[in-house]
């Protein structure tokens, strides 16, 4: 019938033949559920969105292994869940690597800056947890400045931003961390 929306099986068949428009329609049909599945695992909206997008790309590439007689939604949600679990494992590995750097910052014998002395007064775990509460743009700058011990200029080069941006993000990030540390919100997981 002309003008009727295609059903899922028809979209699957067309997608398996390489029809990207059909696959886009499948994505639209399952995107909200996929996002919810990813969020339940990663617990972060931005990460969940990235996971969902990556999972749809993997599903498209894996269509040759999908059995048309099998239900599509569970197959797709398994890919989303696996991708989310992989993301969590990757984040955990990066966190452990950061923790190792915190435990041995390797200052090279340089005298610590006043900011470093203030940060050092708090336990390292408190600081890391407070940093984790920040948005990535502030957290990344603070990680590089205080956990990796890079200068403002070095951070600017690594992140590809002007030194002024590093200075402002450092200042704003520290300002945002202060209430988290003072209130103990990190202890409650807020």
């Amino acid at each position: 019938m002309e003008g009727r929306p295609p059903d899922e099986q028809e979209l699957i068949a067309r997608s398996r033949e390489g029809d990207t428009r059909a696959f886009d329609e499948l994505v639209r049909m399952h995107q909200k559920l996929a996002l919810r599945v990813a969020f339940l695992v990663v617990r972060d909206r931005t990460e969940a969105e990235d996971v969902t997008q990556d999972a749809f790309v993997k599903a498209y590439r894996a269509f040759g292994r999908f059995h048309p007689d099998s239900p599509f939604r569970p197959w797709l949600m398994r890919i989303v869940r696996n991708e989310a679990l992989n993301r969590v494992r990757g984040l955990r590995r990066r966190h452990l690597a950061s923790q190792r750097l915190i435990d041995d910052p390797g200052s090279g014998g340089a005298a610590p800056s006043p900011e470093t002395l203030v940060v050092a007064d708090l336990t390292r775990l408190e600081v890391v947890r407070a940093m984790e509460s920040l948005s990535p743009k502030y957290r990344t700058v603070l990680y590089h400045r205080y956990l990796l011990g890079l200068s403002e200029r070095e951070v600017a080069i690594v992140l590809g931003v002007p030194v002024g941006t590093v200075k402002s993000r450092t200042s704003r990030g520290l300002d945002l961390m202060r209430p988290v540390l003072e209130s103990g919100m990190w202890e409650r997981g807020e």
Side-chain angles (χ1 to χ4, degrees), residues 59-79:
Y60 184 76
R61 291 179 179 156
F63 245 127
R65 294 189 306 264
F66 173 70
H67 299 288
D69 298 334
S70 301
F72 177 73
R73 190 164 72 168
W75 177 79
L76 178 62
M77 293 309 125
R78 187 171 38 252
I79 292 172

Side-chain angles (χ1 to χ4, degrees), residues 64-125:
R65 294 189 306 264
F66 173 70
H67 299 288
D69 298 334
S70 301
F72 177 73
R73 190 164 72 168
W75 177 79
L76 178 62
M77 293 309 125
R78 187 171 38 252
I79 292 172
V80 171
R81 182 178 175 279
N82 288 342
E83 187 66 22
L85 290 170
N86 289 339
R87 183 70 54 102
V88 168
R89 282 190 285 271
L91 292 171
R92 192 173 300 131
R93 279 192 299 275
R94 285 191 293 279
H95 175 73
L96 291 172
S98 297
Q99 191 63 44
R100 283 193 298 274
L101 286 170
I102 292 166
D103 293 340
D104 182 21
S107 67
S113 68
E115 296 91 356
T116 303
L117 291 174
V118 170
V119 170
D121 286 342
L122 301 168
T123 68
R124 290 179 173 154
L125 185 57

Side-chain angles (χ1 to χ4, degrees), residues 36-175:
R36 279 185 256 153
V37 168
F39 183 81
L40 287 172
V41 176
V42 299
R43 299 298 213 190
D44 177 88
R45 173 123 180 130
T46 304
E47 286 292 331
E49 289 169 352
D50 289 347
V51 163
T52 302
Q53 183 176 8
D54 292 346
F56 278 120
V57 169
K58 285 186 177 184
Y60 184 76
R61 291 179 179 156
F63 245 127
R65 294 189 306 264
F66 173 70
H67 299 288
D69 298 334
S70 301
F72 177 73
R73 190 164 72 168
W75 177 79
L76 178 62
M77 293 309 125
R78 187 171 38 252
I79 292 172
V80 171
R81 182 178 175 279
N82 288 342
E83 187 66 22
L85 290 170
N86 289 339
R87 183 70 54 102
V88 168
R89 282 190 285 271
L91 292 171
R92 192 173 300 131
R93 279 192 299 275
R94 285 191 293 279
H95 175 73
L96 291 172
S98 297
Q99 191 63 44
R100 283 193 298 274
L101 286 170
I102 292 166
D103 293 340
D104 182 21
S107 67
S113 68
E115 296 91 356
T116 303
L117 291 174
V118 170
V119 170
D121 286 342
L122 301 168
T123 68
R124 290 179 173 154
L125 185 57
E126 289 173 327
V127 172
V128 170
R129 287 185 176 161
M131 282 184 185
E132 289 173 352
S133 73
L134 300 175
S135 70
K137 72 179 183 180
Y138 300 119
R139 181 176 57 238
T140 303
V141 169
L142 292 178
Y143 274 169
H144 283 81
R145 282 286 289 130
Y146 298 110
L147 301 182
L148 300 178
L150 300 179
S151 70
E152 289 173 341
R153 184 173 179 280
E154 290 170 325
V155 174
I157 292 168
V158 168
L159 300 180
V161 297
V163 173
T165 300
V166 171
K167 289 180 180 184
S168 66
R169 288 181 183 173
T170 299
S171 176
R172 181 69 178 137
L174 291 172
D175 288 345

